[in-house]
Amino acid sequence: MSEELKERLNELVAQCGTDRRAVKHIQRIKGYAPTHSAIFKARTSGTGTDYVIASYVADLQSSLDIPAPTSWQAPDWCEGLSERTAMCLSYFALYESKKEIKMDMARLGESHFLNIRNFGLRSLAELTEWLK
């Protein structure tokens, strides 16, 4: 497997947050997706052909490149967050609940959230306060 593809896959999965969230991103584009363990194995142990890894990379990039919608309603669980922060968490990072965010915050730490598209220090401060 090409090291460049493996590195790119790791970068994109980091932007998604986790392997499971990467699966959600591919499902958003294709309607179906590989398992999270297939993505994990491809990026850590290099299993899979270059073609398969390139497909993962292309699909993740396509999902991450989707522009923000012009009219968007934050889900109910985002109540209390600014529209920008809510959009970063639920539309770009595909979080589905406050509980899921709390688990990632505890497991991965605050810096993990800075990889999310358009998520900056102000959103991180807002999120930290919101989770208290």
Side-chain angles (χ1 to χ4, degrees):
M1 180 174 127
S2 165
E3 283 301 312
E4 294 84 25
L5 282 174
K6 187 177 173 182
E7 286 176 25
R8 185 65 181 138
L9 181 60
N10 278 315
E11 290 171 10
L12 292 171
V13 170
Q15 287 179 33
C16 293
T18 65
D19 297 304
R20 291 179 192 274
R21 198 146 303 105
V23 168
K24 290 180 184 180
H25 275 274
I26 293 174
Q27 283 176 328
R28 175 163 68 173
I29 293 297
K30 295 285 190 176
Y32 50 86
T35 62
H36 72 278
S37 61
I39 293 174
F40 175 79
K41 288 175 186 174
R43 62 185 196 80
T44 58
S45 59
T47 60
T49 65
D50 282 354
Y51 177 79
V52 170
I53 306 309
S55 296
Y56 295 166
V57 167
D59 293 343
L60 288 171
Q61 189 64 59
S62 294
S63 179
L64 292 168
D65 285 345
I66 293 174
T70 54
S71 63
W72 181 81
Q73 288 293 121
D76 291 341
W77 65 265
C78 289
E79 189 174 324
L81 290 174
S82 69
E83 183 176 341
R84 177 192 171 132
T85 301
M87 183 176 285
C88 290
L89 293 172
S90 63
Y91 188 77
F92 293 129
L94 301 180
Y95 279 103
E96 295 177 346
S97 69
K98 189 172 184 177
K99 179 182 176 184
E100 190 179 3
I101 294 171
K102 282 183 178 182
M103 287 177 14
D104 274 2
M105 182 71 83
R107 189 169 48 99
L108 303 170
E110 291 182 351
S111 62
H112 159 76
F113 289 87
L114 295 174
N115 290 323
I116 297 171
R117 180 173 161 193
N118 296 334
F119 199 87
L121 292 174
R122 284 177 40 195
S123 291
L124 182 60
E126 180 185 355
L127 177 65
T128 304
E129 184 65 29
W130 183 69
L131 291 174
K132 288 182 181 177

